Amino acid sequence: MLGATEGNLLAPDFAVRWSGLFLGCVLAVQGARRHAALRTTLNRSREVARATQGALLRPVSATLAGTLVCTRYHSATRESDLSGDVYDVAVTPYGLRLLVGDVRGHDLDSLRLAAATLAAFRDLAPLAPHLPRLAADLDARLGPELGPEDFVTVVLAEFAPGELRLVNCGHPAPLRVGAGLDLLEPGESAPPLGLGPRPSQHRHRLDDGDRILFCTDGLTEARDRDGTPFRLLDEAAHTLRAPLPEQALDALHARLTTHIGRLPADDLTLVLCRPELAGAPLPVTDGMLRSSWR
């Protein structure tokens, strides 16, 4: 219509100009269709990642073998809900056992090692007679999966009447919240899985109302923009005594986010355990046990 009105419908420059415009319109439509297809594929991939996370890192808020367990998990990887942090619980003939760990790195290899760590724990947790054996079995199982610079820090826990048994392989120490606050540090350090750990097992007494917080270094090494570290003991004293464990973890996460001024830039796992019933400690029958009573 413009060409007919202006009388230059057959002019060469008109054909070139308006053919280019028409081609641009066609390419814009094709680009929009391709963008929509890629967005659909991305959304499906994220759904698969969320389903995979649900299978590997199952959210827990339940009482298992007399211990209330509540978990919170945050991945620092924007493209995925999965990271190198791992946790799992297993009801075994020896009591409730727990693993919290951190696989070195944030790439796809760390996701593969995280899945391998969880699979090994689920296979071996019901079989090992004590936690040092479980740590050794996990190290042997993961050895072929690890590269020369790979390792996995873990803390293994076993709940028994009136006590908590721990094995720590290079991981942040759990925090006991009760009448006071105590970091349950191992008596002697042991290297992470993949570096041949031979850890000792340590026993800690539990009283009625005690809670145990297990975490990864996303909490213990958190800092604000000025480099000020997160004051874990002070903040835990204010948050982890909330009536419900879910409220306690939500409050601790909120305090952490407020301190650093943004969502955590590192992977973060929080597991809060509260034994429902505390009784007399079990007798020591394993010579590898070492007492650490309050």
Side-chain angles (χ1 to χ4, degrees):
M1 291 177 64
L2 287 174
T5 302
E6 297 175 0
N8 61 353
L9 185 62
L10 301 179
D13 61 334
F14 176 84
V16 171
R17 185 167 62 252
W18 292 99
S19 295
L21 177 61
F22 177 75
L23 179 61
C25 292
V26 172
L27 292 177
V29 172
Q30 293 295 326
R33 291 179 60 184
R34 180 173 178 80
H35 178 74
L38 290 174
R39 181 176 293 276
T40 300
T41 301
L42 177 60
N43 289 336
R44 289 176 179 173
S45 298
R46 286 174 174 170
E47 289 295 329
V48 171
R50 280 190 285 269
T52 304
Q53 179 193 18
L56 293 178
L57 297 176
R58 299 168 290 190
V60 180
S61 181
T63 299
L64 304 171
T67 298
L68 179 60
V69 182
C70 185
T71 65
R72 289 292 183 272
Y73 176 82
H74 168 78
S75 172
T77 305
R78 294 183 179 180
E79 294 79 8
S80 173
D81 290 331
L82 295 171
S83 72
D85 282 6
V86 293
Y87 68 86
D88 204 2
V89 291
V91 178
T92 75
Y94 310 99
L96 180 69
R97 286 180 170 175
L98 167 73
L99 173 144
V100 177
D102 188 356
V103 175
R104 178 182 179 274
H106 299 276
D107 54 11
L108 291 178
D109 280 341
S110 71
L111 300 184
R112 177 181 58 82
L113 293 177
T117 302
L118 290 173
F121 175 77
R122 291 169 185 174
D123 288 345
L124 300 172
L127 304 177
H130 47 70
L131 294 184
R133 173 64 64 82
L134 177 57
D137 291 345
L138 288 171
D139 183 65
R141 174 74 68 89
L142 293 175
E145 303 284 342
L146 300 174
E149 297 183 358
D150 294 333
F151 58 83
V152 184
T153 69
V154 298
V155 59
L156 300 170
E158 181 178 285
F159 289 87
E163 71 177 57
L164 172 67
R165 300 163 185 167
L166 291 175
V167 158
N168 195 320
C169 298
H171 198 78
L175 175 65
R176 177 173 52 194
V177 182
L181 283 87
D182 306 293
L183 280 174
L184 305 182
E185 299 278 5
E188 53 190 55
S189 60
L193 301 181
L195 302 179
R198 292 296 180 265
S200 298
Q201 177 170 275
H202 297 267
R203 303 167 63 214
H204 304 271
R205 180 173 177 173
L206 295 178
D207 295 326
D208 287 323
D210 281 358
R211 296 179 177 186
I212 309 297
L213 175 69
F214 300 86
C215 64
T216 53
D217 58 10
L219 180 65
T220 58
E221 297 182 2
R223 283 169 168 73
D224 64 10
R225 300 182 188 277
D226 297 327
T228 304
F230 183 65
R231 300 175 64 182
L232 175 57
L233 294 180
D234 291 341
E235 298 295 352
H238 288 92
T239 58
L240 295 185
R241 292 189 173 96
L244 298 177
E246 293 86 352
Q247 295 174 343
L249 290 184
D250 290 342
L252 181 62
H253 188 272
R255 294 251 186 170
L256 174 66
T257 303
T258 300
H259 175 77
I260 62 179
R262 61 187 185 280
L263 289 175
D266 196 3
D267 302 327
L268 174 65
T269 296
L270 304 173
V271 181
L272 187 61
C273 299
R274 185 186 69 193
E276 295 284 296
L277 298 173
L282 295 179
V284 179
T285 57
D286 186 341
M288 299 187 71
L289 297 180
R290 296 187 179 184
S291 298
S292 179
W293 299 103
R294 191 162 36 174

